[in-house]
Amino acid sequence: MIEIDIRGIYEVQRLFRGLASDQINYALTVTINGTAFATQKIGRTQLETRFDRPTPLIKGATRVDKATKETLTARVFIDPKRAAIIKTHEEGGQRGDQRLEKFLRSKGWLPGGWRAVPTDNMPVNSYGNPRQAEVNKIINGLPRAGGIAGDRRRLFVIRPGLSVRIQPGIYRLKSRSKGSAIIMLYHFVDQAQYKAVLEWMPSVQASAIQLLPDQAAKAIRRAIETAR
């Protein structure tokens, strides 16, 4: 969430000194909301450019709570329903479990802290993420028991810790013929750390401070014009 106190910005204070007292709250409200929506636009652009092929979920993550003459406070923030996705890239650390990972954990095939990472063999959508229909096929096609698992759909799991030469992951048999080859769809890794690369909060806050004087000047002109 972005919070700016205009009382600490001398240039904005100077602009308001020439207003009549009954115009100040109106001009402040217009200034704050103008800055908030301009800042939201900058924040949205940053999300669209920092992420590789961002989904509509990411593009539409920013929100604004408008100021009123009574509150004189506006908020620019990330939708709480989408904040968990953004937070990992903002602060770094491990991401949350995806649907497939939750399923694998429920079967005892993926230990705590491990992640299922798609290989180049997984079909992806236009955003570079595994196609949900293909993920569903894996979940529905895997057997209901643990171990080295397989079924008639030729999907099987090698869980971490097994004494086999195959890397832990999810595999598909390419054919039923003798000596049939296998392809890896997901490989299991014991960590999946993200670096803090987004820097949404500091950059958007800096933009808001930069925008305030111009928004204040526009609001003052509007206040004077509407007072006539």
Side-chain angles (χ1 to χ4, degrees):
M1 181 179 67
I2 305 300
E3 293 183 351
I4 303 293
D5 187 348
I6 66 174
R7 292 171 297 182
I9 303 175
Y10 173 78
E11 189 174 353
V12 175
Q13 289 181 328
R14 180 178 58 80
L15 288 169
F16 279 89
R17 286 173 184 167
L19 281 182
S21 59
D22 59 345
Q23 296 176 310
I24 290 178
N25 275 16
Y26 169 78
L28 281 172
T29 305
V30 174
T31 298
I32 294 168
N33 286 333
T35 302
F37 283 107
T39 300
Q40 180 194 30
K41 185 176 180 180
I42 291 171
R44 183 185 299 123
T45 299
Q46 183 180 1
L47 292 177
E48 291 176 358
T49 55
R50 291 291 182 92
F51 282 88
D52 178 27
R53 288 171 289 178
T55 65
L57 189 75
I58 297 297
K59 291 180 179 180
T62 56
R63 296 285 184 272
V64 171
D65 281 345
K66 293 174 61 176
T68 66
K69 291 182 181 179
E70 291 73 33
T71 64
L72 295 178
T73 301
R75 294 195 309 145
V76 182
F77 61 101
I78 298 294
D79 181 357
K81 295 179 180 179
R82 314 178 197 207
I85 301 172
I86 307 294
K87 183 179 179 180
T88 302
H89 297 272
E90 179 77 7
E91 301 178 0
Q94 289 196 359
R95 62 167 170 77
D97 281 351
Q98 298 176 346
R99 178 169 173 249
L100 177 61
E101 290 167 334
K102 291 178 180 178
F103 170 78
L104 294 169
R105 292 195 204 289
S106 73
K107 300 300 177 183
W109 298 332
L110 191 66
W114 284 64
R115 295 288 182 265
V117 179
T119 70
D120 292 340
N121 297 317
M122 272 297 293
V124 296
N125 58 24
S126 59
Y127 305 110
N129 299 319
R131 292 179 186 170
Q132 192 57 51
E134 297 298 324
V135 174
N136 291 340
K137 287 180 182 178
I138 291 174
I139 291 174
N140 294 328
L142 286 171
R144 305 297 104 178
I148 299 179
D151 81 337
R152 62 182 182 178
R153 300 185 188 185
R154 298 175 291 174
L155 287 165
F156 65 94
V157 171
I158 301 296
R159 57 183 174 82
L162 290 179
S163 298
V164 295
R165 294 184 179 180
I166 304 177
Q167 181 181 351
I170 301 174
Y171 294 83
R172 174 179 284 131
L173 294 172
K174 293 182 69 174
S175 73
R176 293 181 184 274
S177 61
K178 184 178 180 180
S180 56
I182 62 174
I183 59 172
M184 178 183 272
L185 301 178
Y186 280 82
H187 59 93
F188 297 162
V189 297
D190 61 359
Q191 60 180 353
Q193 293 284 336
Y194 284 81
K195 294 182 179 179
V197 297
L198 187 56
E199 296 182 343
W200 188 86
M201 287 285 288
S203 62
V204 172
Q205 186 162 3
S207 298
I209 294 173
Q210 191 174 22
L211 287 165
L212 266 169
D214 184 57
Q215 292 293 328
K218 290 179 182 178
I220 289 169
R221 287 196 297 271
R222 183 173 172 183
I224 294 173
E225 289 169 0
T226 56
R228 292 174 181 173

